[in-house]
Amino acid sequence: METAELIKSLVREGQLLAAAAAEAGPDASVPTCPGWQVRDLLRHISMVHRWATAFITEGYTSFHPADDQPELDGDELLEWFREGHGLLVAALSEAPADVECWSFLPAPSPVAFWARRQAHETAVHRTDAESALGGKPGPVAADFALDGIDELLGAFHARSRSRVRTEEPRVLRVHASDTDDVWTVRLSTEAPRTERTAEGPADCELRGTAEQLYLTLWNRLPLTTVSVTGDAELARLWRELSAITWS
């Protein structure tokens, strides 16, 4: 996706997150993040937004730690989130295309990286806020979901820190039924290798709409949301080891 479109997605997802958090209230449990209440979710995403903004506005060219999470609560915390979200959107929208700053996944530019990363960070946590209301998460556009799957499989889990490993080589295939996009993930004792291909045999295949796959691969919907064929243990292995954590 183009950076401008990702920034638009970031705007929309942040607004939806705020609306869901306001409706649920700070005391509501967040089922998709066991042990968290809405206040914990808002403190976390507010901290992440300000952390990302600082790289762009301050031009940090190496890792810089995030500030402590605020002790705010209730309406003040919600306003803190909205303010930080707005600062991030402004920083991305106004940054020169050639700005130099630290990033941690491959991207055409630092601005492209941070727009993509924060759009998907916010979208996933928007579904967390909606889970506090009960019911299903709101829709995720297919093109945005496909981009997020690309980031997760081809960037996050290409890093050496990915914990998704198998003693023997195995192949996990991911097939978006509504767009016919396919990813083949090769698992071994090394970091996963993902290719945009349907060639060759697979030990397990996950099939569903782009939206279903996006939320399932990010562990926001259960595996039963998608069709699992072949060795279901490989799908469960993904579920158990693929979580992306702040630390």
Side-chain angles (χ1 to χ4, degrees):
M1 291 182 69
E2 295 295 326
T3 298
E5 289 301 310
L6 288 164
I7 294 173
K8 289 180 182 177
S9 295
L10 171 61
V11 171
R12 180 175 59 253
E13 296 295 337
Q15 291 170 344
L16 291 171
L17 194 161
E23 183 176 351
D27 295 328
S29 297
V30 181
T32 50
C33 299
W36 272 16
Q37 295 175 304
V38 166
R39 64 171 53 86
D40 301 303
L41 175 63
L42 285 174
R43 287 170 181 167
H44 169 76
I45 191 64
S46 296
M47 175 269 292
V48 172
H49 282 174
R50 283 173 165 77
W51 176 71
T53 299
F55 286 104
I56 302 161
T57 58
E58 302 300 325
Y60 296 128
T61 56
S62 60
F63 175 80
H64 188 80
D67 293 334
D68 292 337
Q69 296 184 22
E71 291 300 321
L72 302 173
D73 206 350
D75 291 343
E76 286 185 322
L77 177 58
L78 191 57
E79 185 55 34
W80 180 256
F81 164 76
R82 289 190 172 115
E83 180 186 73
H85 174 248
L87 291 171
L88 174 60
V89 169
L92 288 166
S93 301
E94 297 167 9
D98 61 352
V99 68
E100 293 293 332
C101 66
W102 180 80
S103 58
F104 60 89
L105 296 176
S109 71
V111 171
F113 163 78
W114 285 110
R116 184 192 213 191
R117 178 78 294 277
Q118 292 307 304
H120 291 296
E121 176 84 7
T122 307
V124 169
H125 285 314
R126 180 263 292 179
T127 69
D128 292 331
E130 290 172 343
S131 78
L133 297 171
K136 296 180 179 179
V140 179
D143 59 343
F144 184 74
L146 294 173
D147 183 78
I149 296 169
D150 272 335
E151 185 200 39
L152 181 64
L153 299 181
F156 264 117
H157 284 287
R159 300 185 301 167
S160 61
R161 65 187 299 176
S162 174
R163 298 185 302 120
V164 184
R165 310 291 174 102
T166 57
E167 289 299 320
E168 299 295 330
R170 309 297 301 280
V171 176
L172 176 67
R173 182 155 291 143
V174 177
H175 192 145
S177 56
D178 53 339
T179 66
D180 216 28
D181 286 85
V182 182
W183 299 259
T184 295
V185 187
R186 303 188 186 282
L187 304 175
S188 67
T189 56
E190 304 296 325
R193 293 186 297 108
T194 298
E195 300 172 277
R196 278 294 214 119
T197 180
E199 294 182 4
D203 298 292
C204 177
E205 179 174 288
L206 307 182
R207 181 184 288 260
T209 66
E211 175 187 296
Q212 290 170 333
L213 290 169
Y214 177 73
L215 294 176
T216 299
L217 289 168
W218 273 104
N219 296 333
R220 262 51 187 192
L221 288 177
L223 272 174
T224 52
T225 302
V226 298
S227 169
V228 180
T229 55
D231 184 0
E233 283 298 322
L234 202 54
R236 286 191 282 271
L237 177 81
W238 175 273
R239 193 76 176 181
E240 293 169 3
L241 300 179
S242 66
I244 305 295
T245 60
W246 172 250
S247 57

